[in-house]
Amino acid sequence: PPPPAPPPREALPPFRLSTDQLARLEKVFRAAAPRKGAAGDAGGAFASPVLAVATAVALLHKAAAVGGMRALPAEWAPLPPSKLTALLALFDQGADGRIDWRRVLLSLAEVAPAPEAALTSLVGKCRAGGHDPWDVPYEFAASLQFWFEAPAPAVETLPGGQLVHQGRQRAALKKVVLDAFASPDRGRVALLPMLLFAVAAPAVDALGVAMKVLGDKDARLTPLQLTPLVTLASLPAAIDPSAPHPDEDAVRVAIAAAHSDDAAKEEVMSGGGQQKVSLKELMASPEGQSLVQRCHGLEGRTPYALLEKL
């Protein structure tokens, strides 16, 4: 009988990671990330999204140096740590030497920017299924249709039967993306952070889309709704939902500044959660503008464009 055909491969431009390489990198980053919680806790233990830049640089440098493993494309091999540091600086939004490694992986996967209509539909499906979009069952997330699943790349069959995909295989790409935002120990996916990172728009526009998708008919949010958005956008990780949000005070100050009524201001600052705010109202005060300017973590990054210049 003829020999079996070689496994499929993906034809990609220089520096681009294949879906197989992205999957390997996801496991490398996850294994190196600090663990949060404990196995015996109600939420279980899970890998933190936070990774020190120095740690990520060392991991990438090691992966690039092992040529036979093909953990990274060959073009990465000559890159010294200084250039890898420059690459990861794109994602060090707090300028404190930390990154959200999930965001790095999403950018390296070159997932197309998420249209607002797609986000609205996906969040609506989560809610219709009785799920909080911040934290959904993995199986449910895998059943959803994402905007980046189509169109599939063209496929060429080489002599000998090997299939060559002219781009990343969509099913494998979807799995890589969901795995990056998953907590395997819990069988859950932090779906909303992935969706918001995928907006990939300037800070004001990205926050505006998020408020439209998650807010009321006027795209207005309460302090409890706005705080985790700001936290995701201003820090290098989404924190444990059960933990205090470090941005809560800044959010309340900004919402209070958007209200002219003293009673409303007092209600917000005393910890009340009923007063809402729109992006337009936030942008009308210095406090609100300062808050929005911290949300650059939702902006798109183009790591391959930088790599080609290094």
Side-chain angles (χ1 to χ4, degrees), residues 9-10 12 15-24 70-71 73 108-109 168-169 176 304:
R9 66 180 178 88
E10 298 168 346
L12 300 169
F15 290 104
R16 269 68 177 177
L17 274 70
S18 68
T19 52
D20 181 62
Q21 290 167 330
L22 289 165
R24 294 186 193 186
R70 297 184 180 178
L108 290 174
R168 295 184 180 90
Q169 301 169 79
V176 165
Y304 293 118

Side-chain angles (χ1 to χ4, degrees), residues 173-190:
L173 179 62
K174 178 179 181 177
K175 186 176 187 306
V176 165
V177 170
L178 292 182
D179 286 354
F181 288 83
S183 297
D185 296 351
R186 301 167 55 238
R188 313 285 292 185
V189 177

Side-chain angles (χ1 to χ4, degrees), residues 27-304:
K27 291 180 174 60
V28 168
F29 280 165
R30 183 179 296 279
R35 301 291 288 178
K36 299 180 70 174
D41 292 348
F46 59 99
S48 168
V50 179
L51 200 59
V53 169
T55 300
V57 166
L59 294 172
L60 290 173
H61 191 248
K62 181 179 179 180
V66 186
M69 295 292 292
R70 297 184 180 178
L72 290 175
E75 296 86 2
W76 288 65
L79 297 177
S82 59
K83 291 187 176 181
L84 294 173
T85 301
L87 171 69
L88 292 174
L90 289 173
F91 303 93
D92 184 6
Q93 59 208 53
D96 61 357
R98 300 185 303 163
I99 57 172
D100 187 322
W101 58 264
R102 307 170 305 175
R103 185 174 171 226
V104 175
L105 207 73
L106 191 69
S107 295
L108 290 174
E110 296 183 293
V111 169
E116 181 183 325
L119 299 187
T120 301
S121 174
L122 288 164
V123 170
K125 288 177 181 177
C126 288
R127 290 172 171 167
H131 304 299
D132 180 349
W134 284 96
D135 185 59
V136 305
Y138 189 99
E139 288 186 4
F140 175 81
S143 73
L144 297 172
Q145 185 76 22
F146 293 89
W147 69 95
F148 57 83
E149 292 188 65
V155 181
E156 178 185 359
T157 303
L158 299 182
Q162 184 180 34
L163 300 180
V164 180
H165 297 262
Q166 303 301 315
R168 295 184 180 90
Q169 301 169 79
R170 293 300 187 259
L173 179 62
K174 178 179 181 177
K175 186 176 187 306
V176 165
V177 170
L178 292 182
D179 286 354
F181 288 83
S183 297
D185 296 351
R186 301 167 55 238
R188 313 285 292 185
V189 177
L191 188 63
L192 191 58
M194 184 274 281
L195 298 179
L196 296 180
F197 283 149
V199 171
V204 176
D205 296 338
L207 187 60
V209 169
M211 294 180 74
K212 286 181 183 178
V213 171
L214 297 173
D216 61 17
K217 62 182 179 60
D218 299 315
R220 304 177 87 232
L221 296 176
T222 67
L224 295 180
Q225 292 172 317
L226 182 59
T227 297
L229 286 182
V230 175
T231 297
L232 179 72
S234 62
L235 295 181
I239 25 190
D240 180 351
S242 65
H245 288 280
D247 291 298
E248 184 174 356
D249 289 345
V251 167
R252 290 190 177 279
V253 167
I255 293 182
H259 289 275
S260 57
D261 181 77
D262 288 342
K265 289 179 182 288
E266 183 177 351
E267 195 266 341
V268 172
M269 295 309 298
S270 64
Q274 300 305 312
Q275 300 298 328
K276 295 183 178 182
V277 70
S278 68
L279 180 61
K280 182 178 179 180
E281 290 166 336
L282 282 175
M283 295 300 292
S285 73
E287 296 87 349
Q289 293 172 17
S290 175
L291 186 74
V292 173
Q293 288 170 0
R294 293 164 59 180
C295 295
H296 47 77
L298 300 181
E299 295 180 346
R301 294 292 184 263
T302 53
Y304 293 118

